[in-house]
Amino acid sequence: MNKNKRVDMKKNIILIGFMGVGKGTTARAFAKKYGVYNIDTDDLIESKENKEVKKIFKKYGEKYFRECEQQTANWIEHNVKGTLISCGGGFYKVKNLKKLGTVVLLDASFEWIHNRLKNAKNSKAKLAKRPLFADEKKAKALYKEREKAYKKVADIVVDVENLSLEEQLKYIAKKCL
């Protein structure tokens, strides 16, 4: 049982950012600290499709996966309230992102993210789970392509590179609760 008091969130908090930046880690820690529910868009898609993201990409391609993300966004918009939602790296492109809640960008440099993934205890699994990170050069180009777009759609930017997880949680809570 959570010892912390449950916070009643009026709006969803939508965590966006590049793959591997720590959206899932932050979401789980925030949910535990503040007693809120959290869901992950990739998990929702995997559940609906009954396939892992990397297998969806392999079998159907990225375009199909992006359509799955839009369907997931539509479902969230009409069915999910007061929840912390961590999103896949490309989810920021859904048409109704701003209608889903307060958009929080977890921001860090490509090098920091790459080192985080490489140095994780389960680094092989973390890298294998991210099909677009298979080629480091392509991943870096994708990061450069998305960097400004993330900031453009974000309501709040959190510099995860220079804040501890606890500081990130407090900052998000201060801005969103």
Side-chain angles (χ1 to χ4, degrees):
M1 185 71 182
N2 187 0
K3 289 182 248 171
N4 297 316
K5 185 178 177 221
R6 186 184 180 330
V7 172
D8 188 26
M9 293 187 349
K10 303 292 183 240
K11 283 177 79 175
N12 293 326
I13 298 173
I14 312 299
L15 295 183
I16 65 166
F18 199 66
M19 57 188 144
V21 77
K23 298 178 298 280
T25 300
T26 301
R28 287 185 296 276
F30 190 93
K32 184 175 182 183
K33 182 176 179 78
Y34 295 102
V36 299
Y37 284 99
N38 78 296
I39 57 176
D40 181 288
T41 59
D42 284 351
D43 290 347
L44 291 172
I45 292 167
E46 286 181 345
S47 178
K48 183 178 175 287
E49 294 293 312
N50 197 27
K51 278 185 183 37
E52 294 174 341
V53 168
K54 65 182 178 182
K55 289 182 180 173
I56 297 169
F57 264 78
K58 190 174 182 174
K59 185 167 184 175
Y60 303 112
E62 185 174 354
K63 185 178 186 286
Y64 180 83
F65 181 76
R66 299 302 171 207
E67 291 167 5
C68 291
E69 285 185 319
Q70 187 59 61
Q71 291 171 1
T72 301
N74 296 344
W75 179 81
I76 289 169
E77 180 183 354
H78 298 289
N79 297 288
V80 180
K81 303 290 179 250
T83 301
L84 182 69
I85 303 162
S86 56
C87 302
F91 195 85
Y92 74 98
K93 290 182 180 181
V94 298
K95 295 178 182 100
N96 51 341
L97 182 68
K98 292 292 200 170
K99 293 180 181 178
L100 305 183
T102 303
V103 180
V104 177
L105 168 62
L106 300 186
D107 191 38
S109 68
F110 179 83
E111 291 73 21
W112 185 89
I113 294 167
H114 190 250
N115 285 334
R116 178 181 181 272
L117 292 174
K118 273 193 334 194
N119 297 324
K121 287 178 196 156
N122 55 344
S123 70
K124 270 192 177 170
K126 283 190 174 285
L127 288 167
K129 187 178 151 191
R130 294 161 174 86
L132 295 178
F133 223 111
D135 180 325
E136 190 180 332
K137 269 188 181 171
K138 283 183 183 176
K140 191 168 191 167
L142 184 62
Y143 174 88
K144 290 283 184 206
E145 176 188 312
R146 289 180 176 178
E147 190 175 18
K148 286 181 184 150
Y150 284 142
K151 289 180 179 160
K152 192 174 182 181
V153 299
D155 297 312
I156 297 161
V157 177
V158 180
D159 177 3
V160 300
E161 207 167 323
N162 295 302
L163 294 175
S164 69
L165 181 58
E166 187 59 33
E167 289 169 326
Q168 292 171 43
L169 302 181
K170 286 179 182 174
Y171 186 77
I172 294 167
K174 180 179 161 197
K175 296 288 187 179
C176 298
L177 300 180

